Amino acid sequence: MRYISTRGGIGPITFKDAVMMGLASDGGLLLPQFYPNVSSEQLESWRKLTYPELAFAVISLYVGDIPADDLKSLINRSYSTFTHTEVTPLIKKNGVYILELFHGVTLAFKDVALQFLGNLFEYILMERKQTLNIIGATSGDTGSAAIHGVRGKKGISIFILHPYGKTSAVQALQMTSVTDANVHNIALHGTFDDCQDMVKELFGDLEFKEKYSLGAVNSINWARVLAQVVYYFYAWLRVTDTTAEPVHFSVPTGNFGDIFAGYVAKRMGLPADKLLLATNENNILTRCINSSDYSLGEVVATVSPSMDIQIASNFERYLFHLFADDSSRLKQAFAELKERGRISFTPDEMTQVRTDFCSASVDQEATLQTIRDFFAETDYLLDPHTAVGVKAALDLLPPDSARVCLATAHPAKFSETVERSLGFQPPVPESVTALYGKPTRCEIMDADISKVREFFIAHIG
Ligand SMILES: *Cc1c(COP(=O)(O)O)cnc(C)c1O
């Protein structure tokens, strides 16, 4: 399998090169040249596989340059860190299936992809005798999952900037309690945007970027999307017993990475029916799907903060396919976005969008109400992101069908919101209790680029 860029200026390149490139160097996103087709016989033959076995079956279709045994061992190591034997178990409650993606080390679905990406980075770097310095800004979830993905790994150092005192207590501890020598937490006196500006400035200095082999871990890496394709197959195999049954998926969406993985699974032949894209008040994608209105708004802070996004970076991957894999139409769309703050679509394109997705936006009031109602009916606690997807599924998907709702975080990770909704705190898993009292390491500094740069140079491996 080879990879090309949505902007038409790269490749075809191998899987390992695509992983190391991350963002395509022509400014686009990398995609496989085609989607391998999984026949219904092949799909049936996967029914008895464990999660890591299924992950190997799916992922190996996209990897042409890592020997099978090595790839198996990378996958096995990545999922052995999950605390549930099924890795991503399904639970049926109130007529919907909850696909629990939060049994990894940081209790959010990002662990599914970042445990695998960390191991992949280490494997490729060792082979190439190279090193990588990852720099990223986080408002909480991505940073902690990335740190746990690469802690203690050879050839990699990671520097994560977060706004001091502005993440949840659990999120901060999940980062600062990692004291491995290759992990560097920086807490800035400032906002998440200040952190992001620092990172952008370092990446913008091309000489600096080259000299210190800077890399990123944001959701544009193809390997992250690929790791997420697996659990759509896993869920489908667990909730059906014949290949004819359609299954709907409801996905709480921010950067469009998770739901794009569902789209890829469908393109490979998974008989998924509706892909329901659920948003909070940051609903540009819902407006696009339901009323052809892809126009930028202001980011609103909500109780589902990991979905507070206006420009969903992975949407570019879908747009490329919507535009019949035509890079010039894609570039024209992004030029329009830059000039006029919007993208316009033809009626035929909109028909296709509505064939691929349906969508609903769930506001904060309804999110809190859903946590309450669902608990009253089932005794099951939803985190606010998952609640957005569950509410959309209950409203939009036919009740007599298999409806799978992706549960993207453990309720204890957003306990403040759960408490606001229900009046009590969700039970805290042992891994979280254990964080309190652990030694921590974190550099607190002013949002001053020269200080950040100095710290980085003094601490690289
Ligand atoms: C990142 C995140 C999301 C959004 O996922 P995307 O792939 O960005 O669409 C939803 N819920 C939680 C808890 C997250 O951490």
Side-chain angles (χ1 to χ4, degrees), residues 165-224:
K166 294 200 174 76
T167 68
S168 82
V170 173
Q171 285 174 327
L173 279 175
Q174 281 179 336
M175 294 190 277
T176 59
S177 66
V178 180
T179 54
D180 299 66
N182 71 330
V183 173
H184 306 282
N185 280 290
I186 300 172
L188 286 190
H189 291 295
T191 63
F192 170 59
D193 285 340
D194 293 327
C195 297
Q196 228 166 5
D197 287 347
M198 300 285 141
V199 172
K200 270 193 204 143
E201 192 149 341
L202 294 177
F203 275 97
D205 181 345
L206 293 183
E207 204 177 307
F208 188 84
K209 181 171 178 243
E210 265 315 283
K211 183 170 175 193
Y212 295 109
S213 318
L214 298 198
V217 284
N218 39 22
S219 69
I220 41 81
N221 199 299
W222 167 252
R224 284 184 67 178

Side-chain angles (χ1 to χ4, degrees), residues 2-3 35 47 59 63 70 93 97 210 217 342 356:
R2 299 282 162 128
Y3 294 83
Y35 294 108
R47 226 172 244 293
I59 291 172
V63 182
D70 290 1
K93 293 281 176 196
Y97 291 95
E210 265 315 283
V217 284
R342 60 192 314 274
D356 294 329

Side-chain angles (χ1 to χ4, degrees), residues 108-110 141 252-258 306-307 383 385 408-409 414:
F109 89 102
K110 292 186 170 70
D141 270 4
T253 294
N255 248 327
F256 200 79
D258 210 2
S306 299
M307 295 157 63
D383 102 282
H385 304 80
T408 51
F414 296 94

Side-chain angles (χ1 to χ4, degrees), residues 139-305:
S139 56
D141 270 4
T142 309
S144 54
I147 285 172
H148 285 268
V150 306
R151 66 182 298 180
K153 299 258 185 297
K154 294 189 270 298
I156 311 175
S157 292
I158 187 166
F159 295 78
I160 295 290
L161 283 69
H162 71 265
Y164 182 64
K166 294 200 174 76
T167 68
S168 82
V170 173
Q171 285 174 327
L173 279 175
Q174 281 179 336
M175 294 190 277
T176 59
S177 66
V178 180
T179 54
D180 299 66
N182 71 330
V183 173
H184 306 282
N185 280 290
I186 300 172
L188 286 190
H189 291 295
T191 63
F192 170 59
D193 285 340
D194 293 327
C195 297
Q196 228 166 5
D197 287 347
M198 300 285 141
V199 172
K200 270 193 204 143
E201 192 149 341
L202 294 177
F203 275 97
D205 181 345
L206 293 183
E207 204 177 307
F208 188 84
K209 181 171 178 243
E210 265 315 283
K211 183 170 175 193
Y212 295 109
S213 318
L214 298 198
V217 284
N218 39 22
S219 69
I220 41 81
N221 199 299
W222 167 252
R224 284 184 67 178
V225 174
L226 178 56
Q228 292 168 202
V229 174
V230 176
Y231 50 69
Y232 285 90
F233 280 91
Y234 189 78
W236 189 91
L237 290 164
R238 285 295 177 279
V239 304
T240 61
D241 41 36
T242 70
T243 37
E245 275 174 77
V247 176
H248 309 288
F249 289 92
S250 178
V251 189
T253 294
N255 248 327
F256 200 79
D258 210 2
I259 196 162
F260 186 73
Y263 171 85
V264 170
K266 231 176 135 171
R267 287 284 299 259
M268 293 169 73
L270 185 74
D273 197 327
K274 291 258 182 316
L275 291 174
L276 168 52
L277 185 156
T279 55
N280 60 26
E281 280 97 328
N282 298 286
N283 60 3
I284 178 169
L285 293 173
T286 301
R287 284 188 278 114
C288 173
I289 293 165
N290 292 347
S291 35
S292 319
D293 170 22
Y294 189 89
S295 59
L296 292 180
E298 291 285 314
V299 179
V300 183
T302 73
V303 294
S304 43

Side-chain angles (χ1 to χ4, degrees), residues 55-116:
F56 176 75
V58 172
I59 291 172
S60 60
L61 299 172
Y62 289 90
V63 182
D65 53 350
I66 298 179
D69 284 343
D70 290 1
L71 185 60
K72 262 184 206 159
S73 130
L74 288 172
I75 289 170
N76 289 342
R77 268 193 285 138
S78 303
Y79 298 112
S80 66
T81 60
F82 280 64
T83 53
H84 197 287
T85 48
E86 281 205 74
V87 181
T88 63
L90 278 129
I91 293 182
K92 194 167 189 187
K93 293 281 176 196
N94 211 10
V96 297
Y97 291 95
I98 306 289
L99 175 59
E100 294 186 340
L101 302 173
F102 51 70
H103 294 282
V105 268
T106 72
L107 308 179
F109 89 102
K110 292 186 170 70
D111 292 324
V112 176
L114 284 166
Q115 287 290 309
F116 178 58

